[in-house]
Amino acid sequence: MNSPPDESDESAEGISRRAMLAAGATGLSVGASGCINRVQSVVDPDSSTGMAVSILTLPGADGDREGAQIARHLEENLRSVGVNATINTRSRSELLKTVLLEQDFDIYVGRHPADFNPDFLYEALHSTYAYESGWQNPFKFMDPSFDGEVRFMDPSFDGALERQRTVEGAEREEAIAELLWRFALNQPFIPVCIPNEYRLVQTDRFSGWEDGHLATRLGYLGLEPAANVEQLHALITDARPTRNLNPLSATARERGTITDLLYDSLATYEETDDDSESNLRPWLAADWDWDGSTATIELREDCTFHNGDPLTAQDVKFTYRFLADTTLGRAPEASPAPRYRGQVAAIDSITVEDDYRLTISASTSPEVGERAFTVPILPRRIWSERVDRRVTGNDEFSPPQGTWSLVTANNIPPVGSGPFQFADRSEGEFLLLERFEDHFSVGTDDVPEPTVPELRLEVDPGTASSIDRIASGGADMTTARLETYALGGISDDDPVERVEDTSWTFYHIGFNTLKEPFSNPRFRRAVARLVDKGWITETIFNGHARPVAAPVAEKWTPDSDSEIDSLVWEDKDPVTPFLGTDGELDVKDARDLFAEDYEYDDSGNLLR
Amino acid sequence: MLTQLLLQVVVAVSILLSVALAGVVGRDRLSLLREEWRSRLRTSAPAIALLLAILLLNRIMRQQGRSLSQDYGIHMTEVFYTIEGEFVLLFQAIASPEANTYFSISYVYGYVFLLIFPVVAYAARSKTIDFRRLLIAYSLNYAIGLVFYILFIAYGPRNVFVEELTQTMLYDNSPQYKYLTTEVNRNTNVFPSLHTSLSATVATFAYQTRSTYPRWFPIAVCLSISIMISTMYLGIHWGIDVLAGLALAGFCVSLSTYLVDRWSLTAILEQVRKRLHEYRDTVTTASQENS
């Protein structure tokens, strides 16, 4: 078992195409990243000492039990191979701040919001975003290898990310397969598993829970309340929504369920069967029509924001311009929002035809371009005034991108056009929303509407107590995914139901690839082989998760029919299989692997 | 949920208190307290006011402290973990369902009883000095604890050793307690352990007053040791938090002895009044001279 990771499951046919690709890609990138390493080691005084790694994670018992256990598994195995690993605990917002905005980390364990479409990888990994703050490329990943000789269609990692955005159909599937292979060989982050999304709902007061995905707006609309039920009482285990409702904030949320309720977007996600072309249906847009890469969009007429201002095509155009540059051109350099970067980048230009009609020209295929239709539409008047207020005098105005006050402010009360509007909140306790009576869905038959006057989101300390509370009739639903440790506490006797929705968010171990030794893809792959994803899903998630080598839905994962090799999980990771069995590391094999690139001192510590 | 739990705590602690007061303090002292409480209260008013003010401040800072802490606090979880490693897991050797129950009850009910009992017991002595010292020591514990909580952000062992502590974690066995503790405290307030420092404070007082309340001394010592162990057994505090709690207790007890009766509030008021008179006199004399 001394062989490099990519050759460990080699077939008898000799060196396969995969191994050649791997050798080519990593060899070149190691060479190039060497330059970066040398620059760093001049700066870093500890460069000849033992390797120390800090693993950033959420608090286990009070935040994310599964994530903290993954961190601990990694910590123990890193220690076994002679790396001085420690665990560093942060709250949800501080973890995101440290990783996304400050880039002050070595390794973190977290859950990525991802997307139903694998195009989210473009935002997560494209090198043009390596210098920005926010959800765009927090790994600072750059793969400088330019592999002209063999065999991937695209000569570079960036090229692969870009190509899947323009091609369609079977060609796109192949492009994604290739991208995922490049990803697996590079491991800018280690994808661990996709946990099942369970929520607990009570069935006496409401029915219709199965209709919409409960992490999206449709999940909260069209529910059927029993007679005299005036409020949907949801439990949240994350207090951030009571403190910050800024749709641009990078740290206030992983996924935007509440933003979805307060704001409308042109299109909305809808659960469909796997074979359908698109998961998006018109929402604020009454309809759209693609001609090549240009979409003509008809807005629903007479929509207003919660403050009574009319919502027109001008607001839509403004939103995309503003997200691309939150200073609206006032600063020497554009300051893109720390969110929605990949979506907005798909749009080349927007022309307003009249109040309710606009054309959007995309730089991508319609399928990818439509992802841009899911961003929240913001009221132009309010946000442009906010920019004006912040531009003072004649001094040069250059706010720090991703962290300036406009994108971090709490935005309370939020003014959107969505089906619910802000009513009240108490920090750390609750957020109260009320039905927006002028919303286009209210009183119509063609789209689901808010069916109760109030939606109360109340902070509860954890999954176990949330389950108790819903079972005893103290609340109607959990908004967060149930942690698997507490699933056994659900009783069949109570009027409750465990609802499952499609899952695409995944647990991952992210590297700061600007830092040595994480800049070395061979090191990252070796670390990936210390993680037993199969054991993690079985023991930490009690089987309620799917271990993955590719962080995308099953239908996008290249299988044995693919021209390139399969990345389907079959009892082990096809590229970075665990060095051991049942969560127990084979320490000798693992140390041998690390010894290929790094040295050990006499007491067995791995040196940088 | 919360009200129900609070009610449970109130009822249980009331029963414990009435039994203990009858057994330890005795009927004579209690009836004397009924007659003299007004005058004793007057003597102790400054100490009572101090404690109430500190408790109120504590309550306010539970919300405000969050943002202060975010701006100025230092993250310490990793440091504590690096220093003491898996020390708290040693207590898992005695893990059992019975131990879970014992330590959970000590942590929640035992602690409340341990803090309230001496307040009543010392108020029942005709000499109020220990009563006032105790209130000052409590105030110091809370006040210093508050400063530390703002400066040091750390999560307890249950947030790191999830798997190892699953069997004994307070909130797994009794999730309802979480409503109570989140109401009282934030989960990053672990250094130092106030459960430890206040328990040790009470135990030290029990030692110092053992001639008056000989039965209380062994009870207080057993209970406070149980509470200290429970904080680690239940995965709430690090060993370092408990050590710091002991140090804090020692400091607060000594300081309370030093402070009490050092200044008399009535004397200070008298002084101020005298100064004011003198000042007015000089002013009036000056203006008379000028006229």
Side-chain angles (χ1 to χ4, degrees):
Chain A
M1 286 292 286
N2 280 351
S3 54
D6 37 281
E7 289 169 19
S8 58
D9 55 346
E10 224 35 84
S11 63
E13 298 157 34
I15 299 171
S16 78
R17 181 175 162 233
R18 185 201 306 170
M20 285 180 65
L21 295 178
T26 51
L28 279 163
S29 50
V30 171
S33 61
C35 314
I36 301 169
N37 294 354
R38 271 196 300 280
V39 174
Q40 276 234 330
S41 54
V42 174
V43 183
D44 193 341
D46 302 327
S47 54
S48 62
T49 60
M51 212 182 267
V53 170
S54 166
I55 304 169
L56 202 59
T57 179
L58 295 177
D62 305 335
D64 177 355
R65 232 170 249 234
E66 289 134 352
Q69 281 178 270
I70 295 172
R72 182 103 167 106
H73 171 70
L74 177 64
E75 180 219 359
E76 283 173 345
N77 288 348
L78 278 170
R79 281 174 186 263
S80 298
V81 297
V83 176
N84 181 13
T86 54
I87 288 184
N88 196 350
T89 311
R90 289 283 191 283
S91 72
R92 291 176 215 257
S93 58
E94 289 199 70
L95 185 125
L96 292 183
K97 188 174 160 208
T98 312
V99 172
L100 303 178
L101 306 180
E102 294 168 351
Q103 276 93 45
D104 180 21
F105 71 103
D106 298 335
I107 293 183
Y108 75 92
V109 176
R111 220 168 132 215
H112 198 281
D115 193 64
F116 56 90
N117 192 311
D119 178 53
F120 79 87
L121 289 168
Y122 176 84
E123 174 179 289
L125 296 171
H126 199 282
S127 68
T128 42
Y129 302 148
Y131 300 103
E132 290 183 12
S133 294
W135 284 90
Q136 50 269 46
N137 199 352
F139 319 102
K140 309 290 122 189
F141 175 66
M142 283 176 272
D143 178 10
S145 67
F146 189 85
D147 188 357
E149 198 179 341
V150 267
R151 263 139 321 252
F152 284 129
M153 290 274 288
D154 304 290
S156 68
F157 202 105
D158 282 347
L161 287 166
E162 286 155 18
R163 193 164 76 92
Q164 59 81 29
R165 275 165 78 94
T166 52
V167 295
E168 293 179 273
E171 218 184 326
R172 179 159 192 249
E173 273 176 41
E174 274 308 307
I176 286 171
E178 202 176 293
L179 168 63
L180 293 171
W181 262 101
R182 278 190 176 274
F183 167 82
L185 295 171
N186 262 292
Q187 298 285 319
F189 59 84
I190 305 168
V192 179
C193 64
I194 300 185
N196 299 351
E197 284 206 20
Y198 299 121
R199 288 177 180 77
L200 192 68
V201 300
Q202 76 74 49
T203 47
D204 275 353
R205 283 160 44 90
F206 285 91
S207 56
W209 293 107
E210 305 283 351
D211 294 346
H213 195 303
L214 289 172
T216 70
R217 62 167 71 83
L218 288 185
Y220 295 77
L221 305 178
L223 295 172
E224 291 145 41
N228 301 322
V229 172
E230 297 285 296
Q231 189 188 65
L232 175 59
H233 187 184
L235 297 181
I236 47 180
T237 46
D238 170 6
R240 286 177 294 170
T242 67
R243 303 203 169 99
N244 187 311
L245 292 169
N246 188 337
L248 308 187
S249 166
T251 59
R253 67 197 69 88
E254 279 80 27
R255 55 208 297 195
T257 313
I258 294 166
T259 307
D260 253 16
L261 297 171
L262 292 166
Y263 292 84
D264 284 322
S265 47
L266 295 175
T268 199
Y269 172 83
E270 180 179 46
E271 289 215 274
T272 50
D273 55 87
D274 262 2
D275 299 329
S276 67
E277 284 285 295
S278 168
N279 289 99
L280 295 176
R281 66 181 264 179
W283 184 248
L284 188 61
D287 202 5
W288 62 75
D289 197 22
W290 286 95
D291 179 15
S293 59
T294 302
T296 306
I297 293 177
E298 303 277 346
L299 293 185
R300 287 177 198 274
E301 298 190 8
D302 303 324
C303 290
T304 64
F305 288 102
H306 301 151
N307 63 357
D309 286 358
L311 190 165
T312 69
Q314 291 294 351
D315 294 291
V316 177
K317 181 179 177 173
F318 167 81
T319 297
Y320 290 99
R321 180 179 165 222
F322 175 62
L323 291 175
D325 178 7
T326 55
T327 67
L328 296 170
R330 308 287 185 78
E333 275 184 54
S335 181
R339 229 172 228 288
Y340 310 117
R341 183 72 165 116
Q343 281 109 308
V344 172
I347 290 178
D348 266 350
S349 65
I350 300 183
T351 314
V352 172
E353 307 290 342
D354 60 40
D355 273 0
Y356 299 110
R357 226 156 54 90
L358 61 159
T359 53
I360 290 183
S361 123
S363 57
T364 64
S365 65
E367 182 185 350
V368 170
E370 281 176 13
R371 286 188 65 231
F373 298 176
T374 59
V375 308
I377 300 302
L378 309 172
R380 179 171 66 144
R381 191 165 67 81
I382 289 177
W383 290 89
S384 57
E385 275 172 13
R386 284 182 186 173
V387 177
D388 290 345
R389 260 208 314 277
R390 284 169 169 84
V391 185
T392 46
N394 298 322
D395 298 341
E396 189 173 290
F397 176 68
S398 60
Q401 179 270 332
T403 56
W404 73 296
S405 60
L406 191 77
V407 299
T408 54
N410 70 14
N411 187 40
I412 290 177
V415 176
S417 65
F420 283 95
Q421 60 183 335
F422 176 85
D424 194 12
R425 59 126 188 190
S426 169
E427 275 192 61
E429 288 174 15
F430 72 87
L431 169 66
L432 182 68
L433 307 182
E434 59 191 18
R435 178 165 57 197
F436 179 43
E437 300 294 345
D438 293 336
H439 192 257
F440 65 81
S441 65
V442 174
T444 57
D445 290 334
D446 58 331
V447 284
E449 61 178 311
T451 51
V452 277
E454 282 186 344
L455 167 57
R456 181 183 171 89
L457 297 138
E458 190 168 339
V459 180
D460 189 90
T463 295
S465 56
S466 296
I467 290 175
D468 282 359
R469 196 152 161 194
I470 287 166
S472 63
D476 297 323
M477 66 173 298
T478 58
T479 43
R481 176 189 145 259
L482 299 176
E483 291 175 280
T484 52
Y485 79 92
L487 291 178
I490 301 173
S491 156
D492 291 338
D493 305 334
D494 295 315
V496 295
E497 195 183 329
R498 195 177 85 184
V499 182
E500 183 171 5
D501 285 308
T502 316
S503 182
W504 54 76
T505 73
F506 57 85
Y507 274 97
H508 65 299
I509 297 166
F511 294 103
N512 183 350
T513 68
L514 282 185
K515 270 196 180 176
E516 201 188 347
F518 319 111
S519 49
N520 180 353
R522 287 176 59 84
F523 181 82
R524 298 196 298 263
R525 273 196 313 202
V527 174
R529 300 198 61 188
L530 303 178
V531 180
D532 192 346
K533 302 176 186 178
W535 175 85
I536 287 171
T537 50
E538 279 314 309
T539 58
I540 298 178
F541 291 86
N542 298 310
H544 298 289
R546 184 167 69 85
V548 288
V552 295
E554 268 165 319
K555 76 166 183 174
W556 295 104
T557 308
D559 54 22
S560 46
D561 296 338
S562 169
E563 255 181 59
I564 206 161
D565 289 307
S566 165
L567 273 178
V568 174
W569 181 274
E570 275 162 10
D571 298 325
K572 62 174 180 178
D573 192 296
V575 185
T576 53
F578 178 58
L579 284 166
T581 41
D582 295 331
E584 286 294 323
L585 188 70
D586 185 324
V587 176
K588 187 180 174 306
D589 281 359
R591 282 180 172 255
D592 286 347
L593 178 62
F594 280 88
E596 287 176 14
D597 293 292
Y598 297 89
E599 282 175 19
Y600 280 96
D601 69 9
D602 295 340
S603 40
N605 298 315
L606 193 63
L607 301 175
R608 299 219 228 178
Chain B
M1 249 348 175
L2 181 64
T3 30
Q4 195 191 334
L5 196 66
L6 275 176
L7 201 68
Q8 272 177 28
V9 174
V10 169
V11 170
V13 171
S14 309
I15 295 171
L16 277 174
L17 274 177
S18 41
V19 173
L21 285 172
V24 173
V25 179
R27 197 155 295 173
D28 297 346
R29 283 210 176 88
L30 287 173
S31 50
L32 199 62
L33 172 65
R34 207 168 304 146
E35 285 165 26
E36 295 184 0
W37 68 272
R38 268 173 216 283
S39 68
R40 288 186 199 173
L41 203 65
R42 212 171 303 124
T43 341
S44 315
I48 295 173
L50 177 70
L51 181 60
L52 290 178
I54 297 273
L55 288 178
L56 184 71
L57 183 70
N58 209 40
R59 181 85 199 155
I60 295 167
M61 291 309 280
R62 207 174 65 82
Q63 276 301 333
Q64 305 303 316
R66 214 185 143 268
S67 51
L68 261 178
S69 201
Q70 265 174 7
D71 294 343
Y72 303 105
I74 312 161
H75 287 277
M76 296 297 279
T77 318
E78 196 174 16
V79 177
F80 294 164
Y81 180 37
T82 310
I83 294 172
E84 68 170 86
E86 301 183 349
F87 170 73
V88 293
L89 298 183
L90 291 178
F91 295 97
Q92 295 303 299
I94 51 166
S96 68
E98 294 75 29
N100 286 351
T101 314
Y102 175 73
F103 286 118
S104 306
I105 288 178
S106 302
Y107 185 82
V108 178
Y109 299 91
Y111 178 62
V112 177
F113 166 71
L114 187 73
L115 294 199
I116 295 178
F117 176 81
V119 174
V120 185
Y122 295 146
R125 296 183 66 187
S126 42
K127 267 169 57 190
T128 58
I129 180 157
D130 287 324
F131 179 64
R132 285 176 289 139
R133 265 180 63 221
L134 183 75
L135 297 187
I136 291 173
Y138 278 5
S139 310
L140 289 169
N141 271 294
Y142 277 112
I144 297 169
L146 188 65
V147 175
F148 274 89
Y149 288 161
I150 290 171
L151 288 179
F152 298 111
I153 308 169
Y155 291 89
R158 70 176 189 279
N159 284 310
V160 175
F161 308 123
V162 178
E163 198 195 338
E164 294 90 335
L165 292 174
T166 304
Q167 299 309 316
T168 61
M169 219 186 272
L170 176 65
Y171 305 125
D172 266 19
N173 300 308
S174 335
Q176 72 274 13
Y177 287 142
K178 213 161 179 179
Y179 291 106
L180 190 67
T181 49
T182 44
E183 195 59 32
V184 184
N185 216 334
R186 290 196 299 124
N187 62 358
T188 51
N189 294 354
V190 304
F191 180 83
S193 158
L194 273 192
H195 262 73
T196 301
S197 72
L198 286 164
S199 299
T201 300
V202 170
T204 314
F205 271 82
Y207 172 76
Q208 292 166 340
T209 59
R210 65 192 182 284
S211 53
T212 319
Y213 294 128
R215 286 184 200 162
W216 172 238
F217 176 50
I219 299 176
V221 169
C222 290
L223 199 50
S224 47
I225 289 174
S226 301
I227 291 167
M228 289 173 211
I229 293 175
S230 77
T231 63
M232 294 180 282
Y233 177 88
L234 300 171
I236 294 163
H237 284 293
W238 299 98
I240 287 172
D241 306 334
V242 172
L243 276 183
L246 289 172
L248 177 61
F251 177 75
C252 293
V253 173
S254 329
L255 194 61
S256 72
T257 316
Y258 174 80
L259 287 178
V260 81
D261 280 344
R262 179 144 289 261
W263 303 287
S264 151
L265 203 61
T266 30
I268 291 173
L269 281 175
E270 193 53 42
Q271 195 99 36
V272 171
R273 201 157 37 209
K274 221 157 71 191
R275 287 268 168 80
L276 266 175
H277 276 297
E278 281 170 15
Y279 175 73
R280 209 168 40 208
D281 289 348
T282 32
V283 171
T284 33
T285 358
S287 56
Q288 277 166 357
E289 279 170 9
N290 284 345
S291 61

